[in-house]
Amino acid sequence: MKLGIYQNHPEFGNKDRNIDHAVTALHNTGADIIILPELFATGYQFTSREEAVSLSEKIPDGKTCCILSELAASQKIFLVFGIIEKDDDKIYNSAALIGPDGFIGKYRKTHLFAEEKFWFSPGDTGLNVFDIGIARLGIMICFDWWFPESARSLALMGADIICHPSNLVFHNCQKAMVTRSLENGVFSATANRIGTEERGGKAPLIFTGGSQILDNKGNVLTSMDAKKTGVSIADIDVKAARNKKITEQNDRFEDRRPEYYKALFD
Ligand code: ACM
């Protein structure tokens, strides 16, 4: 199975341009699944909640979902992408999953980062795994990586691949995801963006690129630098993620001792 990541350099607020670039890049890739960055069509550094609301859309009826649905159908591909979701008077930092037959599901970011707390409502979908037939996809968004419970929960729910749309401003995530993949025995696909945003007199945000796909042992299958945009693809045997053995005598999940992890559940 071919798993891909798309790394972009969006122009803030220029949704038409950013979606166009994605649609062009995602033609004829040969991939079965492609992960796009967090908020890939809008940019990230908002100066007010109103600005974020003005760029928000309904899932799945908004323009971004409709255009990517057409793409998924014509390319026979599954897409996971970040989007500002509008739901009545709330907006969420969300990810949508769309396949060749249309909309499949969505995830609202659980752990909001920094100023995101001013614009977005905290996610209320919980972490979920979507079985798309060719793989079981767990979705988390960017800063969710900082909380190992996110990836662990997805793995315990049966995820083969952690799909990780991101707008990373730290360099630690790419390294931390090696451990997330290794300890959970899952593939992971972190799709990040590049470029700088410096809006409203705020400190610049420098996005770190370095999008990567890791196997279920934490090996890097493909990674991008902090300069180039585009698609990168890795061939994976998704079933490998269903074997949780570490040694003949050890298993990632069977060896857990939850009775000694009570502090986690307070
Ligand atoms: C982030 O969660 N976008 C850092």
Coordinates of all heavy atoms in Angstrom, one line a residue, residues 42-124:
T42 N -5.8 27.5 4.8 CA -6.0 28.9 5.3 C -4.8 29.6 5.8 O -4.8 30.8 5.9 CB -7.0 28.7 6.5 OG1 -6.5 27.9 7.5 CG2 -8.4 28.2 6.1
G43 N -3.8 28.9 6.3 CA -2.8 29.5 7.1 C -3.1 29.4 8.5 O -4.2 28.8 8.9
Y44 N -2.2 29.8 9.4 CA -2.3 29.5 10.8 C -2.4 30.6 11.8 O -3.1 30.6 12.8 CB -1.1 28.6 11.2 CG -1.1 28.1 12.6 CD1 -1.8 27.0 12.9 CD2 -0.4 28.8 13.5 CE1 -1.8 26.5 14.2 CE2 -0.3 28.3 14.9 CZ -1.1 27.2 15.2 OH -1.1 26.8 16.5
Q45 N -1.7 31.7 11.5 CA -1.5 32.8 12.5 C -2.6 33.8 12.4 O -2.5 34.8 11.7 CB -0.1 33.5 12.4 CG 0.2 34.3 13.7 CD 1.6 34.9 13.5 OE1 1.9 35.5 12.5 NE2 2.3 34.9 14.6
F46 N -3.7 33.6 13.1 CA -4.9 34.5 13.1 C -4.6 35.7 14.0 O -3.9 35.6 15.0 CB -6.1 33.7 13.5 CG -6.3 32.5 12.7 CD1 -6.0 31.2 13.3 CD2 -6.7 32.5 11.4 CE1 -6.1 30.1 12.6 CE2 -6.8 31.3 10.7 CZ -6.5 30.1 11.2
T47 N -5.3 36.8 13.6 CA -5.1 38.0 14.5 C -6.4 38.2 15.3 O -6.4 39.1 16.1 CB -4.8 39.2 13.6 OG1 -5.9 39.3 12.6 CG2 -3.5 39.1 12.9
S48 N -7.5 37.5 15.0 CA -8.7 37.6 15.8 C -9.5 36.4 15.5 O -9.3 35.7 14.5 CB -9.5 38.9 15.3 OG -10.0 38.6 14.0
R49 N -10.5 36.2 16.4 CA -11.4 35.0 16.2 C -12.2 35.2 15.0 O -12.5 34.3 14.2 CB -12.3 34.8 17.5 CG -13.1 33.6 17.4 CD -13.8 33.3 18.7 NE -14.6 32.0 18.5 CZ -15.8 31.9 17.9 NH1 -16.4 33.0 17.5 NH2 -16.3 30.8 17.8
E50 N -12.6 36.5 14.7 CA -13.5 36.8 13.5 C -12.7 36.4 12.3 O -13.4 35.9 11.3 CB -13.8 38.3 13.5 CG -14.7 38.8 14.5 CD -14.2 38.8 16.0 OE1 -12.9 39.1 16.1 OE2 -14.9 38.4 16.9
E51 N -11.4 36.6 12.2 CA -10.7 36.3 11.0 C -10.7 34.8 10.8 O -10.9 34.3 9.7 CB -9.2 36.7 11.2 CG -8.4 36.6 10.0 CD -7.0 37.1 10.2 OE1 -6.3 36.7 11.2 OE2 -6.6 38.0 9.4
A52 N -10.5 34.0 11.9 CA -10.6 32.5 11.8 C -12.0 32.1 11.4 O -12.1 31.2 10.6 CB -10.2 31.9 13.1
V53 N -13.0 32.7 12.0 CA -14.4 32.4 11.6 C -14.6 32.6 10.1 O -15.2 31.8 9.4 CB -15.4 33.2 12.4 CG1 -16.8 33.0 11.9 CG2 -15.3 32.8 13.9
S54 N -14.1 33.7 9.6 CA -14.3 34.1 8.2 C -13.7 33.0 7.2 O -14.0 33.0 6.1 CB -13.8 35.5 7.9 OG -12.3 35.4 7.8
L55 N -12.7 32.3 7.7 CA -12.1 31.3 6.9 C -12.6 29.9 7.2 O -12.1 28.9 6.6 CB -10.5 31.3 7.1 CG -9.8 32.6 6.7 CD1 -8.4 32.7 7.3 CD2 -9.8 32.7 5.2
S56 N -13.6 29.8 8.0 CA -14.1 28.4 8.5 C -15.1 27.9 7.5 O -15.7 28.7 6.7 CB -14.7 28.5 9.9 OG -15.9 29.3 9.9
E57 N -15.4 26.6 7.6 CA -16.3 26.0 6.7 C -17.0 24.8 7.4 O -16.4 24.2 8.3 CB -15.6 25.3 5.5 CG -15.0 26.3 4.5 CD -14.3 25.6 3.4 OE1 -14.8 24.5 3.0 OE2 -13.2 26.1 3.0
K58 N -18.1 24.5 6.9 CA -18.8 23.3 7.4 C -18.1 22.0 6.8 O -17.6 22.0 5.7 CB -20.3 23.2 6.9 CG -21.1 24.2 7.7 CD -22.5 23.7 7.7 CE -23.5 24.3 8.7 NZ -23.3 25.5 9.3
I59 N -18.1 21.0 7.7 CA -17.7 19.6 7.2 C -18.9 18.8 7.2 O -19.6 18.7 8.2 CB -16.7 19.0 8.2 CG1 -15.4 19.8 8.3 CG2 -16.3 17.6 7.8 CD1 -14.4 19.3 9.3
P60 N -19.3 18.1 6.0 CA -18.5 18.0 4.8 C -19.0 18.9 3.7 O -18.6 18.7 2.5 CB -18.7 16.6 4.4 CG -20.1 16.3 4.9 CD -20.4 17.2 6.1
D61 N -19.9 19.9 4.0 CA -20.6 20.6 2.8 C -19.8 21.8 2.3 O -20.2 22.4 1.3 CB -22.0 21.0 3.3 CG -22.8 19.8 3.6 OD1 -22.6 18.8 3.0 OD2 -23.7 19.9 4.5
G62 N -18.7 22.2 3.1 CA -18.0 23.4 2.6 C -17.2 23.2 1.4 O -17.0 22.0 0.9
K63 N -16.7 24.3 0.8 CA -16.0 24.3 -0.5 C -14.7 23.4 -0.4 O -14.5 22.6 -1.4 CB -15.6 25.7 -0.8 CG -14.9 25.9 -2.1 CD -14.8 27.4 -2.3 CE -13.6 27.7 -3.2 NZ -13.4 29.2 -3.4
T64 N -13.9 23.5 0.6 CA -12.7 22.7 0.7 C -13.0 21.2 0.6 O -12.4 20.4 -0.1 CB -11.9 23.0 2.0 OG1 -11.7 24.4 2.0 CG2 -10.6 22.3 2.0
C65 N -14.0 20.8 1.4 CA -14.3 19.3 1.4 C -14.9 18.9 0.1 O -14.6 17.8 -0.4 CB -15.4 19.1 2.5 SG -14.7 19.0 4.2
C66 N -15.7 19.8 -0.5 CA -16.3 19.4 -1.9 C -15.2 19.3 -2.9 O -15.2 18.3 -3.7 CB -17.3 20.5 -2.3 SG -18.8 20.4 -1.3
I67 N -14.2 20.2 -2.9 CA -13.2 20.1 -4.0 C -12.3 18.9 -3.7 O -12.0 18.1 -4.6 CB -12.3 21.4 -4.0 CG1 -13.1 22.6 -4.4 CG2 -11.1 21.2 -4.9 CD1 -12.5 23.9 -4.3
L68 N -12.0 18.6 -2.4 CA -11.1 17.4 -2.1 C -11.9 16.1 -2.3 O -11.3 15.1 -2.6 CB -10.5 17.5 -0.7 CG -9.5 18.6 -0.6 CD1 -8.5 18.3 0.6 CD2 -8.6 18.9 -1.8
S69 N -13.2 16.2 -2.2 CA -14.0 15.0 -2.5 C -14.0 14.6 -3.9 O -13.8 13.4 -4.3 CB -15.5 15.2 -2.1 OG -15.6 15.2 -0.7
E70 N -14.0 15.7 -4.8 CA -13.9 15.4 -6.2 C -12.5 14.8 -6.6 O -12.4 13.9 -7.4 CB -14.1 16.7 -7.0 CG -15.5 17.1 -7.2 CD -15.6 18.5 -7.8 OE1 -14.7 19.0 -8.5 OE2 -16.6 19.2 -7.5
L71 N -11.5 15.4 -5.9 CA -10.2 14.9 -6.1 C -10.0 13.4 -5.7 O -9.5 12.6 -6.4 CB -9.2 15.8 -5.4 CG -7.7 15.4 -5.5 CD1 -7.2 15.8 -6.9 CD2 -6.9 16.1 -4.4
A72 N -10.6 13.1 -4.5 CA -10.5 11.8 -4.0 C -11.2 10.8 -4.9 O -10.7 9.7 -5.1 CB -11.1 11.7 -2.6
A73 N -12.3 11.2 -5.5 CA -13.1 10.3 -6.4 C -12.3 10.1 -7.7 O -12.1 9.0 -8.1 CB -14.4 10.9 -6.6
S74 N -11.8 11.2 -8.2 CA -11.1 11.1 -9.5 C -9.8 10.3 -9.4 O -9.4 9.6 -10.3 CB -10.9 12.4 -10.2 OG -9.9 13.2 -9.5
Q75 N -9.1 10.5 -8.3 CA -7.8 9.8 -8.1 C -7.9 8.5 -7.3 O -6.9 7.8 -7.1 CB -6.9 10.8 -7.3 CG -6.6 12.1 -7.9 CD -5.8 12.0 -9.2 OE1 -4.8 11.4 -9.3 NE2 -6.4 12.5 -10.3
K76 N -9.1 8.2 -6.9 CA -9.3 6.9 -6.1 C -8.4 6.8 -5.0 O -7.6 5.9 -4.8 CB -9.2 5.7 -7.0 CG -10.2 5.7 -8.2 CD -10.4 4.3 -8.7 CE -11.5 4.3 -9.8 NZ -12.2 5.5 -10.1
I77 N -8.5 7.8 -4.1 CA -7.5 8.0 -3.0 C -8.2 8.4 -1.8 O -9.3 9.0 -1.8 CB -6.5 9.1 -3.5 CG1 -5.2 9.1 -2.7 CG2 -7.1 10.5 -3.5 CD1 -4.2 10.0 -3.3
F78 N -7.6 8.1 -0.6 CA -8.1 8.6 0.7 C -7.3 9.8 1.1 O -6.1 9.8 1.0 CB -8.0 7.5 1.7 CG -9.0 6.4 1.5 CD1 -8.6 5.3 0.7 CD2 -10.3 6.4 2.0 CE1 -9.4 4.2 0.4 CE2 -11.1 5.3 1.8 CZ -10.7 4.2 1.0
L79 N -8.0 10.9 1.6 CA -7.3 12.1 2.0 C -7.6 12.5 3.4 O -8.8 12.4 3.8 CB -7.7 13.3 1.1 CG -7.4 13.1 -0.4 CD1 -8.1 14.2 -1.2 CD2 -5.9 13.1 -0.7
V80 N -6.6 12.8 4.2 CA -6.8 13.4 5.6 C -6.2 14.8 5.6 O -5.1 15.0 5.2 CB -6.1 12.5 6.6 CG1 -6.3 13.1 8.0 CG2 -6.6 11.1 6.6
F81 N -7.0 15.8 5.9 CA -6.5 17.2 5.8 C -7.1 18.0 6.9 O -8.2 17.8 7.4 CB -6.9 17.8 4.5 CG -8.4 17.7 4.1 CD1 -9.2 18.8 4.4 CD2 -8.9 16.6 3.5 CE1 -10.6 18.8 4.1 CE2 -10.3 16.6 3.2 CZ -11.1 17.6 3.5
G82 N -6.3 19.0 7.3 CA -6.7 20.0 8.4 C -7.6 21.1 7.8 O -7.3 21.6 6.7
I83 N -8.5 21.5 8.6 CA -9.5 22.5 8.1 C -10.1 23.3 9.3 O -10.2 22.6 10.4 CB -10.6 21.8 7.3 CG1 -11.7 22.8 6.8 CG2 -11.3 20.7 8.1 CD1 -12.6 22.2 5.8
I84 N -10.5 24.5 9.2 CA -11.2 25.2 10.2 C -12.7 24.8 10.1 O -13.3 25.2 9.1 CB -11.1 26.7 10.2 CG1 -9.7 27.2 10.0 CG2 -11.8 27.4 11.4 CD1 -9.5 28.7 9.8
E85 N -13.2 24.1 11.0 CA -14.6 23.6 10.9 C -15.5 24.6 11.6 O -15.3 25.0 12.8 CB -14.7 22.2 11.6 CG -16.1 21.7 11.5 CD -16.4 20.5 12.4 OE1 -15.4 20.0 13.1 OE2 -17.5 20.0 12.4
K86 N -16.6 24.9 10.9 CA -17.6 25.8 11.5 C -18.8 24.9 11.9 O -19.3 24.1 11.1 CB -18.1 26.8 10.4 CG -19.1 27.8 10.9 CD -19.3 28.9 9.9 CE -20.4 29.9 10.3 NZ -20.2 30.4 11.7
D87 N -19.3 25.1 13.1 CA -20.5 24.4 13.6 C -21.3 25.3 14.4 O -20.9 25.6 15.6 CB -20.0 23.1 14.4 CG -21.2 22.2 14.7 OD1 -22.3 22.5 14.2 OD2 -21.0 21.3 15.5
D88 N -22.3 25.9 13.9 CA -23.1 26.9 14.5 C -22.2 28.1 14.9 O -21.5 28.6 14.0 CB -23.9 26.4 15.7 CG -25.1 25.6 15.3 OD1 -25.6 25.8 14.2 OD2 -25.4 24.6 16.0
D89 N -22.2 28.5 16.2 CA -21.3 29.6 16.5 C -19.9 29.2 17.0 O -19.2 30.0 17.5 CB -22.0 30.5 17.6 CG -22.4 29.7 18.8 OD1 -22.3 28.4 18.8 OD2 -22.7 30.3 19.8
K90 N -19.6 27.9 16.8 CA -18.3 27.5 17.2 C -17.4 27.2 16.0 O -17.9 26.8 15.0 CB -18.4 26.2 18.1 CG -19.1 26.4 19.4 CD -18.9 25.2 20.3 CE -19.5 25.5 21.7 NZ -19.8 24.3 22.4
I91 N -16.1 27.3 16.2 CA -15.2 26.8 15.2 C -14.2 25.8 15.9 O -13.9 26.0 17.1 CB -14.4 27.9 14.4 CG1 -13.7 28.8 15.4 CG2 -15.4 28.7 13.5 CD1 -12.7 29.8 14.7
Y92 N -13.7 24.9 15.1 CA -12.8 23.8 15.6 C -11.6 23.7 14.7 O -11.8 23.9 13.5 CB -13.5 22.5 15.7 CG -14.7 22.4 16.6 CD1 -16.0 22.7 16.2 CD2 -14.5 22.1 18.0 CE1 -17.1 22.6 17.1 CE2 -15.6 22.0 18.9 CZ -16.8 22.3 18.4 OH -17.9 22.3 19.3
N93 N -10.5 23.4 15.3 CA -9.3 23.0 14.5 C -9.5 21.5 14.2 O -9.2 20.6 15.0 CB -8.0 23.3 15.3 CG -6.8 23.0 14.5 OD1 -6.8 22.3 13.5 ND2 -5.7 23.6 14.9
S94 N -10.0 21.2 13.0 CA -10.4 19.8 12.7 C -9.6 19.2 11.6 O -8.9 19.8 10.9 CB -11.9 19.8 12.3 OG -12.7 20.2 13.3
A95 N -9.8 17.9 11.5 CA -9.3 17.1 10.3 C -10.4 16.3 9.7 O -11.3 15.8 10.5 CB -8.1 16.2 10.7
A96 N -10.5 16.3 8.4 CA -11.5 15.5 7.7 C -10.9 14.4 7.0 O -9.7 14.5 6.5 CB -12.3 16.4 6.7
L97 N -11.6 13.3 6.9 CA -11.2 12.1 6.2 C -12.2 11.9 5.0 O -13.4 11.7 5.3 CB -11.1 10.8 7.1 CG -11.0 9.5 6.4 CD1 -9.7 9.3 5.6 CD2 -11.1 8.4 7.5
I98 N -11.7 11.9 3.8 CA -12.5 11.7 2.6 C -11.9 10.6 1.8 O -10.7 10.5 1.6 CB -12.6 13.1 1.9 CG1 -13.6 14.0 2.7 CG2 -13.1 12.9 0.5 CD1 -13.7 15.4 2.1
G99 N -12.8 9.8 1.2 CA -12.3 8.7 0.3 C -13.0 8.8 -1.1 O -13.7 9.7 -1.3
P100 N -12.7 7.8 -1.9 CA -13.2 7.9 -3.3 C -14.7 7.9 -3.3 O -15.3 8.5 -4.3 CB -12.7 6.5 -3.9 CG -11.6 6.1 -3.0 CD -11.8 6.7 -1.7
D101 N -15.4 7.4 -2.3 CA -16.9 7.5 -2.2 C -17.4 8.6 -1.4 O -18.6 8.6 -1.0 CB -17.4 6.1 -1.7 CG -17.0 5.0 -2.6 OD1 -17.0 5.2 -3.8 OD2 -16.8 3.9 -2.1
G102 N -16.5 9.5 -1.0 CA -17.0 10.7 -0.3 C -16.5 10.8 1.2 O -15.6 10.1 1.6
F103 N -17.3 11.6 2.0 CA -16.9 11.9 3.3 C -17.0 10.7 4.2 O -18.0 9.9 4.2 CB -17.8 13.0 3.9 CG -17.6 13.3 5.3 CD1 -16.5 14.0 5.7 CD2 -18.6 13.0 6.2 CE1 -16.3 14.3 7.1 CE2 -18.4 13.3 7.6 CZ -17.3 13.9 8.0
I104 N -16.0 10.5 5.1 CA -15.9 9.3 6.0 C -16.0 9.8 7.4 O -16.8 9.2 8.2 CB -14.7 8.5 5.8 CG1 -14.7 7.9 4.3 CG2 -14.6 7.3 6.8 CD1 -13.4 7.3 3.9
G105 N -15.3 10.7 7.8 CA -15.3 11.1 9.2 C -14.5 12.4 9.5 O -13.8 12.9 8.6
K106 N -14.6 12.8 10.8 CA -13.8 14.0 11.1 C -13.3 13.9 12.6 O -13.8 13.0 13.3 CB -14.6 15.3 11.0 CG -15.7 15.4 12.0 CD -16.5 16.6 11.8 CE -17.7 16.6 12.8 NZ -18.7 17.7 12.5
Y107 N -12.3 14.7 12.9 CA -11.7 14.7 14.2 C -11.5 16.2 14.6 O -11.0 17.0 13.7 CB -10.3 13.9 14.2 CG -9.5 14.2 15.4 CD1 -9.9 13.8 16.7 CD2 -8.3 15.0 15.3 CE1 -9.2 14.1 17.8 CE2 -7.5 15.3 16.5 CZ -8.0 14.9 17.7 OH -7.2 15.2 18.8
R108 N -11.8 16.5 15.8 CA -11.6 17.9 16.3 C -10.4 17.9 17.3 O -10.5 17.1 18.3 CB -12.9 18.4 17.0 CG -14.0 18.6 16.0 CD -15.3 18.9 16.6 NE -16.3 19.4 15.7 CZ -17.6 19.5 15.9 NH1 -18.1 19.2 17.1 NH2 -18.4 19.9 15.0
K109 N -9.4 18.7 17.1 CA -8.2 18.7 17.8 C -8.4 18.7 19.3 O -9.1 19.6 19.8 CB -7.3 19.9 17.4 CG -5.9 19.9 18.0 CD -5.1 21.0 17.3 CE -3.6 21.1 17.7 NZ -2.9 22.1 17.0
T110 N -7.8 17.8 20.0 CA -8.1 17.6 21.5 C -7.2 18.6 22.3 O -7.8 19.2 23.2 CB -7.7 16.2 21.9 OG1 -8.5 15.3 21.1 CG2 -8.0 15.9 23.4
H111 N -6.0 18.7 21.9 CA -5.0 19.6 22.7 C -4.7 20.8 21.9 O -3.9 20.8 21.0 CB -3.8 18.8 23.0 CG -4.0 17.5 23.7 ND1 -4.1 16.3 23.1 CD2 -4.3 17.2 25.0 CE1 -4.3 15.3 24.0 NE2 -4.5 15.9 25.1
L112 N -5.4 21.9 22.2 CA -5.1 23.2 21.5 C -3.8 23.8 21.9 O -3.5 23.8 23.1 CB -6.3 24.1 21.7 CG -7.6 23.7 21.2 CD1 -8.8 24.7 21.5 CD2 -7.6 23.5 19.6
F113 N -3.1 24.4 20.9 CA -1.7 24.9 21.2 C -1.8 26.4 21.3 O -2.4 27.1 20.4 CB -0.8 24.5 20.1 CG 0.6 25.1 20.2 CD1 1.4 24.7 21.2 CD2 1.0 26.0 19.3 CE1 2.7 25.2 21.3 CE2 2.3 26.5 19.4 CZ 3.2 26.1 20.4
A114 N -1.3 27.0 22.4 CA -1.0 28.4 22.5 C -2.3 29.3 22.1 O -3.4 29.0 22.6 CB 0.2 28.8 21.7
E115 N -2.1 30.2 21.2 CA -3.3 31.1 20.8 C -4.5 30.4 20.2 O -5.5 31.0 20.1 CB -2.8 32.2 19.9 CG -1.9 33.2 20.5 CD -1.7 34.4 19.6 OE1 -1.8 34.3 18.4 OE2 -1.4 35.5 20.2
E116 N -4.3 29.2 19.8 CA -5.4 28.4 19.3 C -6.6 28.4 20.3 O -7.7 28.4 19.9 CB -5.1 27.0 19.0 CG -4.1 26.8 17.8 CD -3.7 25.3 17.6 OE1 -4.5 24.4 18.0 OE2 -2.6 25.1 17.1
K117 N -6.2 28.5 21.6 CA -7.2 28.6 22.6 C -8.1 29.8 22.5 O -9.2 29.8 23.0 CB -6.6 28.5 24.0 CG -5.9 27.1 24.2 CD -5.5 27.0 25.7 CE -4.9 25.6 25.9 NZ -4.6 25.3 27.3
F118 N -7.6 30.9 21.9 CA -8.4 32.1 21.7 C -9.4 31.9 20.6 O -10.4 32.6 20.5 CB -7.5 33.3 21.4 CG -6.5 33.6 22.4 CD1 -5.3 34.3 22.1 CD2 -6.7 33.3 23.7 CE1 -4.4 34.6 23.0 CE2 -5.7 33.6 24.7 CZ -4.6 34.2 24.3
W119 N -9.1 31.1 19.6 CA -9.9 31.0 18.4 C -10.9 29.8 18.4 O -12.0 30.0 17.9 CB -9.1 31.0 17.1 CG -7.7 31.6 17.1 CD1 -6.6 31.0 16.7 CD2 -7.4 33.0 17.4 NE1 -5.5 31.9 16.8 CE2 -6.0 33.1 17.2 CE3 -8.1 34.1 17.9 CZ2 -5.3 34.3 17.5 CZ3 -7.4 35.2 18.2 CH2 -6.0 35.3 18.0
F120 N -10.3 28.7 18.8 CA -11.1 27.4 18.6 C -11.7 26.9 19.9 O -11.1 27.1 20.9 CB -10.1 26.3 18.0 CG -9.5 26.7 16.7 CD1 -8.1 26.8 16.6 CD2 -10.2 26.9 15.6 CE1 -7.5 27.2 15.4 CE2 -9.6 27.2 14.4 CZ -8.2 27.3 14.3
S121 N -12.8 26.2 19.7 CA -13.3 25.4 20.8 C -12.5 24.1 21.0 O -12.1 23.6 19.9 CB -14.8 25.1 20.6 OG -15.6 26.2 20.6
P122 N -12.3 23.7 22.2 CA -11.6 22.4 22.4 C -12.3 21.2 21.7 O -13.6 21.2 21.7 CB -11.5 22.2 23.9 CG -12.1 23.4 24.5 CD -12.8 24.2 23.4
G123 N -11.6 20.4 21.1 CA -12.2 19.2 20.4 C -13.1 18.4 21.3 O -12.7 18.2 22.4
D124 N -14.2 17.9 20.7 CA -15.1 17.1 21.5 C -15.5 15.8 20.9 O -16.4 15.1 21.2 CB -16.4 17.9 21.8 CG -17.1 18.4 20.6 OD1 -16.6 18.1 19.5 OD2 -18.1 19.1 20.7

